[in-house]
Amino acid sequence: MKTNGQIHMGESGSCICLKCGRREPHQAGVPCRQTRCPVCGVAMLREGSEHHRAALAKAKALKDKKVGG
């Protein structure tokens, strides 16, 4: 659902840390980006969100560049 320019993904799902891979259950009403990883302190992302997909694509591009170059 999209309201006020934001895409709402519902109450279920997980927040994920891109640095250490830790997963935490998503808390309704609290964006994952406002949640810090309890292990390393990095801001978490909603698994499957636009931000998460973009970060994974960026990481893949960097890996491919290192392998190919």
Side-chain angles (χ1 to χ4, degrees):
M1 179 188 325
K2 187 171 184 174
T3 58
N4 295 333
Q6 297 178 339
I7 297 175
H8 298 277
M9 297 181 65
E11 295 181 13
S12 63
S14 299
C15 299
I16 188 165
C17 175
L18 292 179
K19 184 174 182 182
C20 70
R22 171 108 179 182
R23 282 192 167 93
E24 294 286 322
H26 172 70
Q27 295 179 5
V30 180
C32 288
R33 293 175 59 187
Q34 292 180 1
T35 304
R36 294 283 176 182
C37 175
V39 175
C40 61
V42 173
M44 300 180 91
L45 295 176
R46 181 73 174 265
E47 190 172 22
S49 71
E50 184 178 332
H51 294 106
H52 182 233
R53 288 190 305 268
L56 291 177
K58 183 177 179 180
K60 183 182 182 313
L62 288 173
K63 182 181 175 186
D64 290 347
K65 185 176 181 180
K66 287 181 183 178
V67 171

